[in-house]
Structure formats: structure tokens, C-alpha cells
Short mmCIF file of all heavy atoms in Angstrom, two decimals:
data_model
loop_
_atom_site.label_atom_id
_atom_site.label_comp_id
_atom_site.label_asym_id
_atom_site.label_seq_id
_atom_site.Cartn_x
_atom_site.Cartn_y
_atom_site.Cartn_z
N GLY A 175 12.63 1.92 -34.01
CA GLY A 175 11.72 2.82 -33.31
C GLY A 175 10.42 2.15 -32.92
O GLY A 175 9.88 2.37 -31.83
N GLN A 176 9.89 1.30 -33.82
CA GLN A 176 8.66 0.58 -33.50
C GLN A 176 8.89 -0.41 -32.37
O GLN A 176 8.06 -0.55 -31.47
CB GLN A 176 8.14 -0.15 -34.73
CG GLN A 176 7.55 0.76 -35.78
CD GLN A 176 7.17 0.01 -37.04
OE1 GLN A 176 7.75 -1.03 -37.34
NE2 GLN A 176 6.19 0.53 -37.76
N THR A 177 10.01 -1.11 -32.41
CA THR A 177 10.33 -2.06 -31.34
C THR A 177 10.50 -1.34 -30.02
O THR A 177 9.98 -1.78 -28.98
CB THR A 177 11.60 -2.85 -31.70
OG1 THR A 177 11.41 -3.49 -32.97
CG2 THR A 177 11.90 -3.90 -30.66
N ALA A 178 11.22 -0.23 -30.03
CA ALA A 178 11.42 0.54 -28.80
C ALA A 178 10.09 1.08 -28.29
O ALA A 178 9.84 1.10 -27.08
CB ALA A 178 12.39 1.69 -29.06
N GLY A 179 9.23 1.50 -29.19
CA GLY A 179 7.92 2.01 -28.78
C GLY A 179 7.07 0.93 -28.14
O GLY A 179 6.38 1.19 -27.14
N ARG A 180 7.12 -0.27 -28.68
CA ARG A 180 6.36 -1.38 -28.08
C ARG A 180 6.88 -1.71 -26.69
O ARG A 180 6.12 -1.95 -25.76
CB ARG A 180 6.43 -2.61 -28.98
CG ARG A 180 5.59 -2.48 -30.22
CD ARG A 180 5.51 -3.80 -30.96
NE ARG A 180 4.92 -3.59 -32.27
CZ ARG A 180 5.52 -3.85 -33.41
NH1 ARG A 180 6.73 -4.35 -33.42
NH2 ARG A 180 4.91 -3.62 -34.55
N TRP A 181 8.21 -1.74 -26.55
CA TRP A 181 8.81 -2.02 -25.24
C TRP A 181 8.44 -0.93 -24.24
O TRP A 181 8.13 -1.20 -23.08
CB TRP A 181 10.33 -2.13 -25.35
CG TRP A 181 10.78 -3.50 -25.69
CD1 TRP A 181 11.10 -3.98 -26.93
CD2 TRP A 181 10.93 -4.60 -24.79
NE1 TRP A 181 11.44 -5.29 -26.85
CE2 TRP A 181 11.35 -5.71 -25.54
CE3 TRP A 181 10.75 -4.75 -23.43
CZ2 TRP A 181 11.59 -6.95 -24.97
CZ3 TRP A 181 10.99 -5.99 -22.86
CH2 TRP A 181 11.42 -7.07 -23.63
N LEU A 182 8.48 0.33 -24.69
CA LEU A 182 8.16 1.44 -23.81
C LEU A 182 6.70 1.40 -23.39
O LEU A 182 6.37 1.64 -22.21
CB LEU A 182 8.47 2.76 -24.51
CG LEU A 182 8.37 4.03 -23.68
CD1 LEU A 182 9.33 3.96 -22.50
CD2 LEU A 182 8.67 5.24 -24.52
N LEU A 183 5.82 1.06 -24.29
CA LEU A 183 4.41 0.94 -23.95
C LEU A 183 4.18 -0.18 -22.94
O LEU A 183 3.47 -0.01 -21.95
CB LEU A 183 3.58 0.69 -25.22
CG LEU A 183 2.09 0.50 -25.00
CD1 LEU A 183 1.46 1.78 -24.47
CD2 LEU A 183 1.42 0.08 -26.30
N GLY A 184 4.80 -1.32 -23.18
CA GLY A 184 4.67 -2.44 -22.25
C GLY A 184 5.22 -2.11 -20.88
O GLY A 184 4.61 -2.44 -19.85
N LEU A 185 6.37 -1.46 -20.86
CA LEU A 185 6.98 -1.07 -19.59
C LEU A 185 6.11 -0.07 -18.85
O LEU A 185 5.98 -0.14 -17.62
CB LEU A 185 8.37 -0.49 -19.85
CG LEU A 185 9.23 -0.19 -18.65
CD1 LEU A 185 9.55 -1.48 -17.89
CD2 LEU A 185 10.52 0.48 -19.07
N THR A 186 5.49 0.85 -19.58
CA THR A 186 4.61 1.84 -18.95
C THR A 186 3.39 1.17 -18.33
O THR A 186 2.98 1.51 -17.21
CB THR A 186 4.17 2.88 -19.99
OG1 THR A 186 5.33 3.49 -20.55
CG2 THR A 186 3.28 3.94 -19.37
N ILE A 187 2.82 0.20 -19.03
CA ILE A 187 1.65 -0.51 -18.51
C ILE A 187 2.02 -1.30 -17.25
O ILE A 187 1.30 -1.26 -16.25
CB ILE A 187 1.04 -1.41 -19.60
CG1 ILE A 187 0.43 -0.55 -20.69
CG2 ILE A 187 0.02 -2.36 -19.01
CD1 ILE A 187 0.00 -1.31 -21.92
N VAL A 188 3.15 -1.99 -17.29
CA VAL A 188 3.59 -2.76 -16.11
C VAL A 188 3.87 -1.82 -14.95
O VAL A 188 3.49 -2.10 -13.81
CB VAL A 188 4.82 -3.62 -16.46
CG1 VAL A 188 5.44 -4.21 -15.22
CG2 VAL A 188 4.42 -4.72 -17.43
N ALA A 189 4.53 -0.70 -15.21
CA ALA A 189 4.84 0.25 -14.14
C ALA A 189 3.55 0.83 -13.54
O ALA A 189 3.47 1.04 -12.33
CB ALA A 189 5.73 1.37 -14.67
N ALA A 190 2.55 1.08 -14.38
CA ALA A 190 1.28 1.60 -13.87
C ALA A 190 0.59 0.57 -12.98
O ALA A 190 0.04 0.91 -11.93
CB ALA A 190 0.37 1.99 -15.03
N LEU A 191 0.62 -0.69 -13.38
CA LEU A 191 0.01 -1.73 -12.56
C LEU A 191 0.73 -1.89 -11.23
O LEU A 191 0.10 -1.99 -10.17
CB LEU A 191 -0.01 -3.06 -13.32
CG LEU A 191 -0.97 -3.11 -14.52
CD1 LEU A 191 -0.76 -4.40 -15.30
CD2 LEU A 191 -2.40 -3.00 -14.07
N VAL A 192 2.05 -1.90 -11.27
CA VAL A 192 2.83 -2.03 -10.03
C VAL A 192 2.60 -0.82 -9.14
O VAL A 192 2.42 -0.95 -7.93
CB VAL A 192 4.33 -2.23 -10.36
CG1 VAL A 192 5.19 -2.10 -9.11
CG2 VAL A 192 4.55 -3.58 -11.02
N GLY A 193 2.59 0.36 -9.73
CA GLY A 193 2.36 1.58 -8.95
C GLY A 193 1.00 1.59 -8.29
O GLY A 193 0.85 2.01 -7.15
N SER A 194 -0.02 1.13 -9.00
CA SER A 194 -1.36 1.11 -8.41
C SER A 194 -1.43 0.12 -7.25
O SER A 194 -2.12 0.37 -6.27
CB SER A 194 -2.41 0.78 -9.47
OG SER A 194 -2.23 -0.53 -9.95
N VAL A 195 -0.72 -0.99 -7.36
CA VAL A 195 -0.70 -1.94 -6.25
C VAL A 195 0.05 -1.36 -5.06
O VAL A 195 -0.40 -1.47 -3.92
CB VAL A 195 -0.06 -3.28 -6.70
CG1 VAL A 195 0.24 -4.17 -5.51
CG2 VAL A 195 -0.97 -3.99 -7.68
N VAL A 196 1.17 -0.69 -5.31
CA VAL A 196 1.96 -0.11 -4.22
C VAL A 196 1.18 1.00 -3.53
O VAL A 196 1.15 1.10 -2.31
CB VAL A 196 3.31 0.41 -4.75
CG1 VAL A 196 4.01 1.28 -3.74
CG2 VAL A 196 4.20 -0.75 -5.16
N ILE A 197 0.52 1.85 -4.31
CA ILE A 197 -0.23 2.95 -3.73
C ILE A 197 -1.51 2.45 -3.05
O ILE A 197 -1.92 2.95 -2.01
CB ILE A 197 -0.55 4.01 -4.81
CG1 ILE A 197 0.74 4.71 -5.22
CG2 ILE A 197 -1.57 5.03 -4.32
CD1 ILE A 197 0.60 5.63 -6.40
N GLY A 198 -2.15 1.45 -3.63
CA GLY A 198 -3.41 0.97 -3.10
C GLY A 198 -3.28 -0.03 -1.97
O GLY A 198 -4.25 -0.26 -1.24
N SER A 199 -2.12 -0.64 -1.80
CA SER A 199 -2.00 -1.69 -0.78
C SER A 199 -2.19 -1.17 0.64
O SER A 199 -2.76 -1.89 1.46
CB SER A 199 -0.68 -2.43 -0.92
OG SER A 199 0.40 -1.56 -0.75
N PRO A 200 -1.77 0.04 1.02
CA PRO A 200 -2.05 0.49 2.39
C PRO A 200 -3.55 0.59 2.68
O PRO A 200 -3.97 0.39 3.82
CB PRO A 200 -1.39 1.87 2.47
CG PRO A 200 -0.32 1.83 1.46
CD PRO A 200 -0.85 0.97 0.35
N ALA A 201 -4.34 0.89 1.69
CA ALA A 201 -5.78 0.98 1.90
C ALA A 201 -6.40 -0.40 2.10
O ALA A 201 -7.50 -0.51 2.65
CB ALA A 201 -6.43 1.67 0.71
N LEU A 202 -5.72 -1.44 1.67
CA LEU A 202 -6.26 -2.78 1.79
C LEU A 202 -5.82 -3.49 3.07
O LEU A 202 -6.35 -4.55 3.40
CB LEU A 202 -5.85 -3.63 0.58
CG LEU A 202 -6.35 -3.12 -0.76
CD1 LEU A 202 -5.75 -3.97 -1.88
CD2 LEU A 202 -7.86 -3.16 -0.83
N THR A 203 -4.86 -2.92 3.77
CA THR A 203 -4.37 -3.58 4.99
C THR A 203 -5.30 -3.27 6.15
O THR A 203 -5.90 -2.21 6.24
CB THR A 203 -2.95 -3.10 5.35
OG1 THR A 203 -2.96 -1.69 5.53
CG2 THR A 203 -1.96 -3.49 4.28
N VAL A 204 -5.42 -4.22 7.05
CA VAL A 204 -6.23 -4.06 8.25
C VAL A 204 -5.28 -3.78 9.40
O VAL A 204 -4.36 -4.56 9.67
CB VAL A 204 -7.06 -5.34 8.52
CG1 VAL A 204 -7.87 -5.20 9.79
CG2 VAL A 204 -7.95 -5.65 7.34
N ASP A 205 -5.51 -2.67 10.08
CA ASP A 205 -4.63 -2.32 11.19
C ASP A 205 -5.05 -3.09 12.44
O ASP A 205 -6.19 -3.01 12.89
CB ASP A 205 -4.72 -0.81 11.48
CG ASP A 205 -4.12 0.02 10.36
OD1 ASP A 205 -3.24 -0.52 9.66
OD2 ASP A 205 -4.54 1.17 10.18
N HIS A 206 -4.11 -3.85 12.96
CA HIS A 206 -4.31 -4.56 14.22
C HIS A 206 -3.39 -3.90 15.24
O HIS A 206 -2.17 -4.07 15.16
CB HIS A 206 -3.95 -6.04 14.09
CG HIS A 206 -4.83 -6.78 13.13
ND1 HIS A 206 -6.15 -7.02 13.39
CD2 HIS A 206 -4.59 -7.30 11.91
CE1 HIS A 206 -6.69 -7.68 12.38
NE2 HIS A 206 -5.76 -7.86 11.46
N PRO A 207 -3.96 -3.15 16.19
CA PRO A 207 -3.08 -2.46 17.14
C PRO A 207 -2.34 -3.46 18.03
O PRO A 207 -2.87 -4.51 18.38
CB PRO A 207 -4.04 -1.59 17.96
CG PRO A 207 -5.41 -2.14 17.70
CD PRO A 207 -5.35 -2.86 16.39
N SER A 208 -1.13 -3.11 18.34
CA SER A 208 -0.33 -3.97 19.22
C SER A 208 -0.87 -3.87 20.65
O SER A 208 -1.60 -2.93 20.97
CB SER A 208 1.14 -3.55 19.17
OG SER A 208 1.28 -2.27 19.74
N PRO A 209 -0.51 -4.80 21.52
CA PRO A 209 -1.00 -4.74 22.91
C PRO A 209 -0.63 -3.43 23.60
O PRO A 209 -1.41 -2.90 24.40
CB PRO A 209 -0.34 -5.94 23.58
CG PRO A 209 -0.06 -6.88 22.46
CD PRO A 209 0.21 -6.02 21.26
N ALA A 210 0.54 -2.88 23.32
CA ALA A 210 0.95 -1.62 23.95
C ALA A 210 0.04 -0.48 23.48
O ALA A 210 -0.35 0.38 24.27
CB ALA A 210 2.40 -1.31 23.61
N GLN A 211 -0.32 -0.47 22.21
CA GLN A 211 -1.21 0.55 21.70
C GLN A 211 -2.61 0.40 22.30
O GLN A 211 -3.27 1.39 22.60
CB GLN A 211 -1.29 0.49 20.17
CG GLN A 211 -0.03 0.95 19.47
CD GLN A 211 -0.13 0.75 17.96
OE1 GLN A 211 -0.91 -0.07 17.49
NE2 GLN A 211 0.67 1.49 17.22
N GLN A 212 -3.05 -0.83 22.47
CA GLN A 212 -4.38 -1.06 23.04
C GLN A 212 -4.45 -0.55 24.47
O GLN A 212 -5.42 0.08 24.87
CB GLN A 212 -4.73 -2.55 22.99
CG GLN A 212 -5.06 -3.04 21.60
CD GLN A 212 -5.31 -4.54 21.58
OE1 GLN A 212 -5.03 -5.25 22.53
NE2 GLN A 212 -5.85 -5.02 20.46
N SER A 213 -3.41 -0.81 25.27
CA SER A 213 -3.42 -0.36 26.66
C SER A 213 -3.34 1.17 26.72
O SER A 213 -3.98 1.80 27.56
CB SER A 213 -2.28 -0.99 27.45
OG SER A 213 -1.03 -0.54 26.96
N HIS A 214 -2.59 1.77 25.81
CA HIS A 214 -2.48 3.22 25.77
C HIS A 214 -3.82 3.84 25.39
O HIS A 214 -4.24 4.83 25.99
CB HIS A 214 -1.37 3.64 24.79
CG HIS A 214 -1.16 5.12 24.72
ND1 HIS A 214 -0.63 5.83 25.78
CD2 HIS A 214 -1.41 6.02 23.74
CE1 HIS A 214 -0.56 7.11 25.44
NE2 HIS A 214 -1.02 7.24 24.20
N GLN A 215 -4.51 3.24 24.44
CA GLN A 215 -5.81 3.76 24.03
C GLN A 215 -6.84 3.59 25.14
O GLN A 215 -7.68 4.46 25.37
CB GLN A 215 -6.29 3.04 22.76
CG GLN A 215 -5.53 3.45 21.52
CD GLN A 215 -5.95 2.62 20.30
OE1 GLN A 215 -6.66 1.64 20.44
NE2 GLN A 215 -5.48 3.03 19.13
N SER A 216 -6.79 2.47 25.85
CA SER A 216 -7.75 2.26 26.93
C SER A 216 -7.50 3.25 28.07
O SER A 216 -8.43 3.74 28.70
CB SER A 216 -7.71 0.82 27.42
OG SER A 216 -6.46 0.55 28.02
N GLN A 217 -6.24 3.58 28.33
CA GLN A 217 -5.92 4.56 29.36
C GLN A 217 -6.43 5.95 28.96
O GLN A 217 -6.96 6.68 29.79
CB GLN A 217 -4.41 4.62 29.62
CG GLN A 217 -3.86 3.41 30.33
CD GLN A 217 -2.34 3.42 30.39
OE1 GLN A 217 -1.71 4.33 29.87
NE2 GLN A 217 -1.76 2.41 31.02
N GLN A 218 -6.30 6.29 27.67
CA GLN A 218 -6.79 7.58 27.20
C GLN A 218 -8.31 7.65 27.31
O GLN A 218 -8.86 8.67 27.71
CB GLN A 218 -6.35 7.83 25.76
CG GLN A 218 -4.90 8.21 25.61
CD GLN A 218 -4.54 8.47 24.15
OE1 GLN A 218 -5.26 8.08 23.26
NE2 GLN A 218 -3.41 9.12 23.95
N SER A 219 -8.99 6.56 26.94
CA SER A 219 -10.44 6.58 26.99
C SER A 219 -10.94 6.64 28.43
O SER A 219 -11.92 7.30 28.74
CB SER A 219 -11.03 5.37 26.26
OG SER A 219 -10.65 4.18 26.90
N GLN A 220 -10.24 5.98 29.36
CA GLN A 220 -10.63 6.03 30.76
C GLN A 220 -10.40 7.42 31.32
O GLN A 220 -11.20 7.96 32.09
CB GLN A 220 -9.85 5.00 31.57
CG GLN A 220 -10.28 3.57 31.30
CD GLN A 220 -9.34 2.58 31.98
OE1 GLN A 220 -8.36 2.95 32.63
NE2 GLN A 220 -9.67 1.29 31.83
N ALA A 221 -9.31 8.06 30.91
CA ALA A 221 -9.04 9.42 31.37
C ALA A 221 -10.06 10.40 30.82
O ALA A 221 -10.48 11.32 31.50
CB ALA A 221 -7.62 9.83 30.95
#
């Protein structure tokens, strides 16, 4: 039981770290619009 508890605690900590990276990574990415999106946005702003 002690060994299983240690493994479960370690697995929980690793899963929390991985989850925080997965959830937080979209906030860290920089959106670079593609050329098609840029032309579409410029057409909307001109309109």
C-alpha cells in the first residue's frame, strides 16, 4: 500500500505538470495570421 501510494502520488504530480503545460501552451503561442487571413482582414477593414 505504501509503494502504491508513492507511485500514485508521483503519477499525480507528473500528470498535473503535463496538464498545466497542455492547458497553458495555447496562451504562450503567438498567432501569425496566414496571408489569406491577412487579405481577408484588410478587405474587412477597408469595407
Side-chain angles (χ1 to χ4, degrees):
Q176 288 175 333
T177 304
R180 286 189 191 120
W181 273 98
L182 188 60
L183 178 65
L185 187 63
T186 303
I187 291 171
V188 169
L191 291 172
V192 169
S194 66
V195 168
V196 167
I197 291 172
S199 61
L202 298 175
T203 59
V204 178
D205 292 333
H206 296 291
S208 67
Q211 289 175 337
Q212 287 176 347
S213 65
H214 182 69
Q215 288 175 350
S216 65
Q217 289 172 358
Q218 284 181 343
S219 63
Q220 288 172 359

